[in-house]
Amino acid sequence: MVTGSGGSEEAADFCIAIHGGAGDVAQERRAAHAEGCAAAARAGAAILAAGGSALDAVQRAVEVLEDDPRFNAGTGACLTESGALELDASIMRGDDLAAGAVCAMPPFKNPIAVARAVLDDGRHVLYAAEGAARFAVERGFARATPESMITEAVRERWQRGRGGKAMGYAGGTVGAVARDRSGHVASATSTGGTFFKREGRVGDTPVLGAGTYADDRAGAASATGIGEAIMRVCLTKAAIDVLATGAAPLAAACDAVALLEGRGRGSGGLVLVDARGRWGFARSTPTMSWAVMTSGLGEPRSGF
Ligand code: ASP
């Protein structure tokens, strides 16, 4: 079933919308996940309020969530079946469709910052595994130790589920989309992937048009859920194409998630903003924590 978690039909000078991952977060942890998303929205909105770019705002918001151990990105990311961290992230801006992404990358504190360096460098769009790590080190990023990024909770869950019994959603992939005062949009997404994924498995998050897409002509979207299904339907590009027909953001988000459930044969959710600063969230999973902050709101709104 597709649930539209919220949306706005009012244009805004600036807008940032966040998701903290599709899944089924335990009742007692839902409010904390929503609060984590609100903190990220505040950090991104501070940049937008000061006239900063949508690209800087989504990067900052995702960094806040990567540093929050409750989410499946950066510190607290889930592990492969052999107990390793393989991190995926991507970032895209809508004015010129410039993008940067990394996949199956060994531990670095903020994968989204490495993806941003790929975008700024401009030579290629997507770097994988050790090639991504070498690029990052060349650009001045320090490798992190696995111990500094693997939390006790993640280690325990991995121990409990060893043997592949607890595969699937980790819950807690993170994403941000924004529209800035100049009318540009951007999107960023970061994840540890799915729990007990095989080594080398890459999901939708670093794939443009699947996990992340931004085009000033319509809007920006960030997806979460079963990556194999999201890639089948190019979920974020599909959502942006619906927006481009003039649909309201909430309707476009619901249409895209229905496509994911139907043709894609999988579940998940997404968040999007359109080029006028309107926003929408939809999911087909029991929960997807979210937050939004616009020029018209005094405080972020959030939920799950
Ligand atoms: N989409 C992510 C992946 O498949 C996981 C998630 O969003 O929970 O890697």
Side-chain angles (χ1 to χ4, degrees):
M1 192 184 70
V2 178
T3 306
S5 313
S8 145
E9 302 223 352
E10 248 169 68
D13 219 21
F14 69 78
C15 173
I16 182 159
I18 310 290
H19 71 74
D24 191 2
V25 171
Q27 192 76 41
E28 63 278 10
R29 290 190 285 117
R30 291 179 186 177
H33 274 235
E35 180 40 50
C37 292
R42 261 184 225 108
I47 292 172
L48 296 170
S53 70
L55 189 68
D56 286 345
V58 294
Q59 179 186 342
R60 184 67 204 122
V62 167
E63 284 170 354
V64 167
L65 292 166
E66 286 178 338
D67 291 343
D68 185 331
R70 293 172 292 200
F71 293 93
N72 172 25
T75 303
C78 70
L79 304 177
T80 65
E81 60 183 7
S82 62
L85 280 171
E86 293 189 357
L87 305 168
D88 299 339
S90 65
I91 187 165
M92 182 170 189
R93 74 173 167 226
D95 38 340
D96 58 357
L97 308 185
V102 291
C103 65
M105 187 171 71
F108 281 83
K109 183 170 173 288
N110 291 113
I112 200 66
V114 180
R116 172 64 187 271
V118 174
L119 183 156
D120 289 339
D121 180 69
R123 177 169 171 188
H124 300 301
V125 168
L126 173 60
Y127 287 93
E130 266 311 307
R134 280 197 294 275
F135 171 87
V137 169
E138 267 174 35
R139 291 296 181 282
F141 294 93
R143 283 180 189 263
T145 59
E147 303 75 59
S148 68
M149 295 185 69
I150 300 174
T151 61
E152 202 45 46
V154 166
R155 178 69 72 195
E156 266 171 30
R157 185 172 170 189
W158 181 79
Q159 298 281 14
R160 274 201 312 275
R162 252 169 122 166
K165 279 176 243 121
M167 275 171 53
Y169 283 128
T173 287
V174 306
V177 291
R179 189 255 195 208
D180 62 30
R181 289 191 191 277
S182 310
H184 298 305
V185 298
S187 173
T189 316
S190 181
T191 190
T194 46
F195 235 99
F196 291 98
K197 64 186 182 183
R198 282 184 65 156
E199 273 168 50
R201 178 268 187 190
V202 174
D204 60 299
T205 301
V207 178
L208 300 186
T212 301
Y213 204 73
D215 184 343
D216 279 3
R217 291 190 299 185
S222 169
T224 171
I226 299 299
E228 287 71 12
I230 293 171
M231 287 190 281
R232 275 197 279 275
V233 296
C234 302
L235 187 65
T236 51
K237 179 65 164 71
I240 297 304
D241 287 346
V242 178
L243 266 188
T245 66
L250 178 58
C254 289
D255 269 22
V257 175
L259 175 71
L260 175 66
E261 282 283 326
R263 291 293 285 159
R265 306 188 305 282
S267 51
L270 93 164
V271 30
L272 53 80
V273 291
D274 74 3
R276 295 165 54 199
R278 307 181 306 166
W279 50 276
F281 297 92
R283 61 177 160 82
S284 61
T285 47
T287 65
M288 182 182 77
S289 52
W290 60 271
V292 65
M293 180 66 185
T294 72
S295 43
L297 294 172
E299 266 298 296
R301 283 174 58 185
S302 62
F304 39 80

